[in-house]
Amino acid sequence: MNLPNKLTMFRVVLIPFFVVLLLVDITPYDNWIALVIFIVASLTDLLDGKIARKYNLVTNFGKFMDPLADKLLVCSALICLVEMERIAAWMVIVIIAREFIISGFRLVASDNGVVIAASYWGKFKTTFQMVMICLMIADLEALSLLTTIVTWAAVILTVVSLVDYLVKNRSVMQEKKQ
């Protein structure tokens, strides 16, 4: 259990605390504490990958758990935000559907010995989704226009990144001749 894997597991452990603080009124500062937890969890995602690559600490556990932890964090946040009526359910369905499609696509690619690296579109998508979630958790009236713009950008980038992955890697889905 190296440092990147510990950071990944720390991110997973933070998720229930994040969800409870977001959905249950315990203190007047619950949303702000949840926001801090979300930011810390998001930063561990950045950090664990950088450390793993820099110090050659990439493991099979990390390859499996890191993307799973990311999806759990983002999906948990988005589902909570639907419950809180801060984002439309259809937008969350688009975002989650993209994650399932790409995960399945990567699984097929892996079976064929192909590794599909993250694209710039995927990285932009992730950044906009994280910013969108932070803005929605903060729920500041003064930032409502910015929140709307970032939300639409995140949804559009979600679709663009999906199309980009599928087009660039369409050969993965083609049957091989025997």
Side-chain angles (χ1 to χ4, degrees), residues 105 165-174:
F105 204 72
Y165 273 104
L166 296 178
V167 168
K168 284 182 179 172
N169 300 288
R170 63 187 170 274
S171 63
V172 168
M173 296 303 283
Q174 295 170 351

Side-chain angles (χ1 to χ4, degrees), residues 1-21:
M1 187 59 71
N2 61 33
L3 180 58
N5 291 342
K6 287 178 183 174
L7 288 170
T8 297
M9 291 311 299
F10 178 63
R11 185 162 63 255
V12 172
V13 168
L14 287 177
I15 294 169
F17 295 100
F18 164 73
V19 168
V20 168
L21 285 163

